[in-house]
Amino acid sequence: MNDFENMTPDEVAALTQRLILDPAQAEEMIPDPGADSGDTIVPRSIKLPASLDRRCKARATELGMNQSAYIRSLIEKDLAGPQARPLTTADLPLILEFIRHAA
């Protein structure tokens, strides 16, 4: 939330222009979990709180993926491009909260 607190109205306007409001576009941004990169898959153990694990499994199932593929896709997406990711409809609640507090 701190990132939004220091933004000017012009910065918020620019931010909202970058939002992807079309669900079809958002779906295209999800990496293909079946894409074969040719790399050897290395088992990696991670520890998650039970509540986060349940949410992760539910979201992966929602997307038609297993948990490993879902977590792998998030890592790949994070590492794929510039550090500033495109905004999606998932960012709207934070933006709206910021705008409400700025008004």
Side-chain angles (χ1 to χ4, degrees):
M1 183 65 186
N2 290 336
D3 293 342
F4 294 115
E5 291 175 0
N6 298 318
M7 293 176 74
T8 67
D10 288 339
E11 290 172 324
V12 172
L15 183 76
T16 58
Q17 293 301 313
R18 293 177 29 220
L19 288 175
I20 297 172
L21 300 177
D22 180 6
Q25 278 184 298
E27 287 296 320
E28 290 173 12
M29 295 176 63
I30 297 174
D32 179 6
D36 182 13
S37 65
D39 289 336
T40 301
I41 301 294
V42 178
R44 177 78 48 212
S45 174
I46 61 170
K47 292 173 179 44
L48 299 174
S51 61
L52 182 58
D53 184 61
R54 283 190 300 274
R55 291 173 55 209
C56 176
K57 184 174 185 174
R59 182 63 178 146
T61 301
E62 208 175 278
L63 296 171
M65 306 166 95
N66 62 41
Q67 282 181 279
S68 291
Y70 175 60
I71 293 168
R72 199 168 39 251
S73 74
L74 294 175
I75 294 169
E76 288 170 349
K77 185 176 177 181
D78 180 62
L79 298 175
Q83 295 303 321
R85 66 173 173 74
L87 296 172
T88 66
T89 54
D91 297 304
L92 283 175
L94 290 173
I95 293 168
L96 293 174
E97 183 178 339
F98 170 78
I99 292 170
R100 259 195 307 270
H101 284 93

